[in-house]
């Protein structure tokens, strides 16, 4: 297993959300799609067209180049921006208004659509398969991840992007899906992989070079979702300065173990608060309690032009905002230590410190 940041984040997510390794098997005999429904050709064609445009874009090239270093939060925002961007606009419209493509409403009409990666490596809980961003017709969104233990997926460390069409809405995607059939267009290389749930067509992946073949048929796949919310975690655009949050240290905790996270904003504009980590928080305690959790290598890089404001949340307590400026660092690669010190009452005091470095000016 490649020990990438994404895989580390997924392992932490599995622990946080309480996911356990599923029991999967290979089915005997032919499967039965009771309804006989198929993905409408109009949706497949629209997905193929959107994928071709996206794969030809700089955003796709940047994604594939950055993949070995991407965090789960980075992957989330990149796929969210892509799926909700111009390349997939027509496809999303067809999802919400089937009459646009003259789609038969008696056919398979998905309630959710995803843009993800068909990863040719173990992602989580021993599963190899797919991970990506999913949004439903009610605009509820999250991340999905899953696959199979032996799914006819080629050996390797990465795959390419795919569009997923899901029968259910976000919140109801978890479960075992059985691989039904793979249809590969010899001329274009476009692959359509169909999956059943309760003997009904429930999921179809469409993509190019998915690295999935007939070995997936009659094989159990397990997919589950992580509802990440829609709080922004990535700052779009460019800025003059970049600052990296290096190491957080717990000096005096609020409780025995605190769950902490940041909100931050740039240039005095608090109309948009960015959050890190993307969900929940990082558990910390004092060194005398457990040295493993007394420091946190944060790693977040924040953009700003004139100032950067940080808001630290410790459990249910919010510390005072702190603001740093370019002059605070004394030049490129300069570092500062920012301290938070807050008395909850006459007896309890919360103390944390954070090392911050200016990495571009």
């Amino acid at each position: 297993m490649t020990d990438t940041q994404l895989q580390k984040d997924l392992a932490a997510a599995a622990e946080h959300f309480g996911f356990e390794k599923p029991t999967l098997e290979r089915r005997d005999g032919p499967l039965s799609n009771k309804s006989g429904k198929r993905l409408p050709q109009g949706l497949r064609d629209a997905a193929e067209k959107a994928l071709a445009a996206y794969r030809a874009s700089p955003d796709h090239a940047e994604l594939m180049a950055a993949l070995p270093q991407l965090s789960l939060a980075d992957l989330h925002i990149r796929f969210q921006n892509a799926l909700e961007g111009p390349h997939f606009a027509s496809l999303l419209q067809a999802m919400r208004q089937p009459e646009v493509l003259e789609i038969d409403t008696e056919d398979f009409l998905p309630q959710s659509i995803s843009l993800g990666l068909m990863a040719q490596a173990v992602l989580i809980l021993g599963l190899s398969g797919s991970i990506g961003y999913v949004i439903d017709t009610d605009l509820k969104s999250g991340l999905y991840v899953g696959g199979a233990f032996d799914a006819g997926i080629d050996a390797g460390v990465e795959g390419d992007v795919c569009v997923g069409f899901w029968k259910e809405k976000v919140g109801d995607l978890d479960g075992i899906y059985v691989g039904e059939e793979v249809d590969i267009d010899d001329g274009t290389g476009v692959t359509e992989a169909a999956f059943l749930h309760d003997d009904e067509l429930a999921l179809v992946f469409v993509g190019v070079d998915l690295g999935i073949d007939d070995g997936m048929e009659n094989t159990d796949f397990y997919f589950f979702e992580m509802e990440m919310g829609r709080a922004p975690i990535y700052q779009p655009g460019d800025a003059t300065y970049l600052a990296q949050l290096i190491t957080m240290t717990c000096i005096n905790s609020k409780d025995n173990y605190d769950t902490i996270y940041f909100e931050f904003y740039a240039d005095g504009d608090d109309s948009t608060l960015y959050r890190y980590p993307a969900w929940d928080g990082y558990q910390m305690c004092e060194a005398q309690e457990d040295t493993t959790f007394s420091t946190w290598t944060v790693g977040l890089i924040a953009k700003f032009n004139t100032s950067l404001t940080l808001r630290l949340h410790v459990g249910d307590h919010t510390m005072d905002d702190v603001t740093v400026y370019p002059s605070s660092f004394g030049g490129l690669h300069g570092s500062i230590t920012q301290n938070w010190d807050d008395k909850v009452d006459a007896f309890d005091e919360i103390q944390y410190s954070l090392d911050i470095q200016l990495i571009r000016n």
Side-chain angles (χ1 to χ4, degrees):
M1 173 177 173
T2 304
D3 196 17
T4 65
Q5 185 60 50
L6 178 60
Q7 289 165 320
K8 292 177 183 177
D9 289 350
L10 283 170
E15 182 177 355
H16 169 71
F17 287 102
F19 296 136
E20 297 182 356
K21 189 172 183 177
T23 299
L24 303 179
E25 60 186 24
R26 188 172 181 83
R27 309 297 176 97
D28 295 325
L31 300 176
S32 173
N33 180 355
K34 291 180 180 178
S35 67
K37 292 184 177 182
R38 290 295 172 199
L39 181 70
Q41 187 64 41
L43 282 181
R44 173 173 170 152
D45 292 345
E48 182 178 345
K49 182 178 179 180
L51 280 169
Y54 176 60
R55 293 176 82 237
S57 72
D59 288 343
H60 176 264
E62 291 173 5
L63 168 70
M64 301 311 292
L67 192 58
Q69 291 79 40
L70 283 186
S71 68
L72 184 60
D74 292 333
L75 192 75
H76 175 203
I77 197 64
R78 284 175 186 259
F79 277 139
Q80 177 180 343
N81 288 344
L83 186 58
E84 297 178 10
H87 299 308
F88 294 91
S90 296
L91 179 57
L92 291 179
Q93 183 184 16
M95 279 275 298
R96 295 165 185 150
Q97 298 175 288
E99 63 274 12
V100 171
L101 296 180
E102 299 181 354
I103 295 172
D104 186 349
T105 55
E106 295 300 315
D107 215 332
F108 175 65
L109 293 180
Q111 297 296 304
S112 301
I113 185 171
S114 62
L115 180 64
L117 182 75
M118 188 61 76
Q120 299 167 0
V122 172
L123 289 170
I124 190 172
L125 303 177
L127 299 172
S128 298
S130 185
I131 179 173
Y133 171 75
V134 58
I135 185 170
D136 65 22
T137 52
D138 293 332
L139 302 183
K140 189 176 181 181
S141 65
L143 286 176
Y144 76 89
V145 63
F149 298 124
D150 180 14
I153 296 176
D154 297 337
V157 295
E158 60 185 42
D160 210 330
V161 290
C162 60
V163 169
F165 297 97
W166 306 74
K167 177 184 176 183
E168 303 296 342
K169 292 186 177 181
V170 172
D172 295 312
L173 303 182
D174 290 6
I176 293 176
Y177 296 72
V178 185
E180 184 198 15
E181 68 175 8
V182 177
D183 178 19
I184 302 176
D185 188 316
D186 293 332
T188 64
V190 174
T191 301
E192 180 180 324
F195 301 81
L196 304 181
H197 180 70
D198 292 336
D199 296 327
E200 297 276 357
L201 183 63
L203 169 62
V204 179
F205 284 127
V206 176
V208 180
D209 298 328
L210 295 186
I212 192 167
D213 56 29
D214 291 343
M216 60 80 72
E217 295 176 4
N218 286 41
T219 297
D220 282 355
F221 285 67
Y222 182 67
F223 290 99
F224 48 85
E225 58 188 307
M226 296 173 279
E227 295 183 44
M228 306 285 281
R230 297 185 65 85
I233 53 178
Y234 174 78
Q235 295 172 277
D238 202 1
T240 305
Y241 300 98
L242 295 179
Q244 185 167 24
L245 311 191
I246 305 296
T247 304
M248 172 69 81
T249 301
C250 176
I251 302 168
N252 196 49
S253 62
K254 176 180 180 292
D255 302 308
N256 288 335
Y257 285 85
D258 295 334
T259 298
I260 71 169
Y261 67 93
F262 290 101
E263 289 178 316
F264 63 98
Y265 59 91
D267 307 327
D269 181 8
D270 63 355
S271 60
T272 300
L273 287 175
Y274 298 91
R275 190 190 198 282
Y276 192 82
W279 73 91
D280 197 44
Y282 192 85
Q283 193 174 62
M284 297 195 71
C285 66
E286 299 164 24
Q288 57 265 36
E289 185 76 32
D290 189 338
T291 56
T292 303
F293 295 99
S294 63
T295 60
W296 170 28
T297 303
V298 184
L300 171 70
I301 296 176
K303 306 173 184 178
F304 67 102
N305 293 303
T306 58
S307 65
L308 174 66
T309 301
L310 302 171
R311 183 173 299 167
L312 176 64
H313 296 267
V314 181
D316 59 1
H317 184 78
T318 301
M319 308 289 275
D320 291 338
D321 289 2
V322 299
T323 301
V324 297
Y325 305 89
S327 59
S328 304
F329 297 92
L332 182 62
H333 302 308
S335 297
I336 60 173
T337 298
Q338 178 60 54
N339 296 297
W340 281 270
D341 191 337
D342 200 354
K343 288 188 176 181
V344 180
D345 52 40
F347 304 99
D348 295 319
E349 187 173 12
I350 306 172
Q351 293 177 300
Y352 279 84
S353 68
L354 174 66
D355 297 328
I356 311 172
Q357 183 178 33
L358 188 68
I359 60 174
R360 188 181 80 185
N361 67 4

